[in-house]
Amino acid sequence: MTTIERAEVLLTSPGRNFVTLRITTSDGVTGLGDATLNGRELAVASYLRDHVVPLLVGRDPARIEDLWQYLFRGAYWRRGPVTMTAIAAVDVALWDVKGKVAGLPVYQLLGGRSREQVLVYTHASGESVPEMLEDADRARELGYAAIRVQAAVPGIAGTYGVKKNGRYEPADHALPQEQPWSTEAYLAFAPDYLRAAREHLGAEVHLLHDVHHRLTPLEAARFGRSVEDVGLYWMEDPTPADSQDAFRLIRQHTTTPIAVGEVLTSIWDVKDLITEQLVDYVRCSVVHAGGITHLRRIYDLAALYNVRSGSHGASDLSPVTQAAATHLATAIPNFGIQEHMGYPDLTAEVFHGGARYDGGALHVDDVPGLGVEYDDAAAARFEYSPKYLPVARRLDGSVHDW
Ligand code: CS2
Ligand code: MG
């Protein structure tokens, strides 16, 4: 019987930190899984190295579902981003192995093509509205039909989502950077710049906006109503999703579509959002929601309630996740849109292949598995060092959701 012979936890930092799990079978077949949890990478690396890898060696790599159940139910302590990211890394690596053994791309194992390509959206931002609009024009020139727009709020240094020197990387400090936040200033400013973006880009471009957990349910309801004329594709994370109930209030007051889920890591965390149709898109990701096996379950539940996928795909989700997400998005019936920020140039020195961007969409080729290869020699050149996401503080000094 073929067994799992080795499982390596690989840390590297080609332009940004990534954690990758590589599983090698007794037949010499390898599979990759992304284990990157931005700002908490070492927690997942240890969970894998110290508590999962010793349980994997000697097991049958073909038994993906059984291993998922074993790692989820067998841990006793379940759910949460660290556990579900570790399980995801194993799951995705085993789907990669299964595809290579079968000689099929992973999307074929998931039911085959439902679409020719995977529509994506990218980020446009600016320290000022003109700068944001210029960035959006650059995105249009690159072929994007869907653009997330974010502008710095005057007087609020370091507003969420605004690029620095042409790149957006929030986890860029050795300790959490404290950023000021003013809901009043944001609410007084954002609707106007979203309207300016719609006027500048025209009606045919999908416009998205990430509120990033900053508003109370009532503030989010009012915000959603105030921008209904903009015709957003979605407003994302309008309020923290710790309580799914919070979205009932928002839903009662606005028809602006809602997308939630990038920080939610299991079907139980989004069950009510889906079954009560409190959201229009679920943003859970392959890397943080238990892998292809679990995310497929989330999107199958969503399909029953006319909720579509809108998976998280920021640059802190590695090219392994982007490939796996594109395979899944190629196959599922209720695909909506996939986030695509691209990566620092150095990242491609370590991760070869995977999903390919072209003309506003991601594509996967018909190579067995996920189609990503990991270059150890290159990875060794980029040493991991801890980096943290910012912490937000209101103007009175109290902590706010970042
Ligand atoms: C953001 C992310 O892409 C998004 O929608 O919410 O940039 C998020 O802030 C980071 O992935 C956190 O690591
Ligand atoms: Mg987001």
Side-chain angles (χ1 to χ4, degrees):
M1 178 187 91
T2 300
T3 60
I4 293 173
E5 189 164 84
R6 192 166 66 251
E8 303 155 275
V9 180
L10 309 165
L11 276 67
T12 185
S13 193
R16 73 153 345 270
N17 289 329
F18 294 112
V19 182
T20 305
L21 177 73
R22 179 168 57 206
I23 286 178
T24 305
T25 73
S26 51
D27 297 337
V29 179
T30 61
L32 296 176
D34 183 9
T36 309
L37 183 63
N38 203 9
R40 293 297 183 274
E41 294 87 359
L42 297 182
V44 180
S46 166
Y47 192 100
L48 284 167
R49 273 198 193 111
D50 300 326
H51 301 300
V52 171
V53 168
L55 312 184
L56 289 180
V57 175
R59 289 184 178 276
D60 179 353
R63 297 182 63 173
I64 297 178
E65 182 67 52
D66 181 63
L67 266 169
W68 196 98
Q69 299 296 332
Y70 177 78
L71 293 175
F72 181 79
R73 299 182 186 286
Y76 189 73
W77 312 106
R78 58 181 67 172
R79 294 166 67 178
V82 174
T83 303
M84 298 306 280
T85 299
I87 294 174
V90 175
D91 184 79
V92 172
L94 293 178
W95 277 105
D96 194 13
V97 165
K98 194 177 275 288
K100 289 178 179 178
V101 168
L104 290 170
V106 167
Y107 77 81
Q108 289 289 15
L109 304 178
L110 300 173
R113 244 179 226 293
S114 294
R115 56 192 52 77
E116 296 316 310
Q117 58 183 27
V118 168
L119 172 69
V120 295
Y121 75 88
T122 196
H123 293 195
S125 64
E127 287 296 339
S128 68
V129 176
E131 199 178 286
M132 175 191 78
L133 297 178
E134 280 168 28
D135 203 24
D137 288 341
R138 278 190 290 274
R140 290 291 287 139
E141 286 153 19
L142 291 170
Y144 289 97
I147 301 171
R148 188 192 85 165
V149 288
Q150 314 282 144
V153 176
I156 303 296
T159 305
Y160 162 72
V162 179
K163 292 174 188 168
K164 285 183 205 143
N165 310 316
R167 209 164 74 74
Y168 178 58
E169 175 50 77
D172 56 359
H173 283 75
L175 287 172
Q177 195 193 23
E178 301 209 341
Q179 291 182 348
W181 173 255
S182 161
T183 296
E184 293 75 12
Y186 167 77
L187 289 176
F189 181 63
D192 290 343
Y193 80 66
L194 293 175
R195 231 161 256 120
R198 173 57 73 204
E199 196 174 314
H200 182 78
L201 293 166
E204 73 284 357
V205 172
H206 293 311
L207 266 189
L208 303 88
H209 179 66
D210 194 345
V211 182
H212 216 263
H213 323 280
R214 302 299 170 97
L215 302 179
T216 65
L218 188 65
E219 289 165 347
R222 293 175 61 188
F223 175 77
R225 181 178 287 185
S226 74
V227 296
E228 284 177 359
D229 62 303
V230 179
L232 289 179
Y233 188 88
W234 76 37
M235 66 173 170
E236 178 182 334
D237 288 328
T239 197
D242 306 296
S243 160
Q244 298 178 55
D245 299 350
F247 290 81
R248 291 198 189 105
L249 177 62
I250 304 171
R251 212 52 163 178
Q252 283 164 11
H253 292 283
T254 180
T255 57
T256 293
I258 299 171
V260 179
E262 70 180 56
V263 295
L264 302 178
T265 59
S266 80
I267 199 164
W268 293 278
D269 299 321
V270 294
K271 177 178 69 65
D272 302 342
L273 295 174
I274 291 171
T275 57
E276 295 185 37
Q277 295 178 309
L278 299 178
V279 297
D280 303 282
Y281 300 89
V282 178
R283 281 187 46 75
C284 300
S285 70
V286 162
V287 59
H288 299 134
I292 291 170
T293 300
H294 196 59
L295 186 58
R296 177 62 194 258
R297 290 209 155 91
I298 290 173
Y299 285 132
D300 284 348
L301 176 64
L304 300 181
Y305 293 90
N306 298 305
V307 174
R308 288 181 282 177
S309 74
S311 281
H312 186 203
S315 48
D316 49 282
L317 285 65
S318 92
V320 176
T321 285
Q322 190 159 105
T326 307
H327 280 278
L328 186 54
T330 297
I332 58 172
N334 57 323
F335 168 73
I337 198 166
Q338 168 66 44
E339 181 173 11
H340 173 255
M341 277 176 69
Y343 296 96
D345 294 340
L346 291 175
T347 302
E349 294 191 29
V350 175
F351 297 92
H352 304 304
R356 206 169 19 85
Y357 173 76
D358 179 44
L362 283 175
H363 308 259
V364 280
D365 299 318
D366 282 343
V367 298
L370 296 174
V372 185
E373 295 303 325
Y374 188 90
D375 186 326
D376 290 275
R381 296 197 341 256
F382 305 109
E383 190 178 349
Y384 168 86
S385 65
K387 290 283 188 300
Y388 286 89
L389 287 168
V391 171
R393 285 190 181 273
R394 301 182 189 101
L395 301 185
D396 70 358
S398 54
V399 174
H400 193 68
D401 292 282
W402 177 76

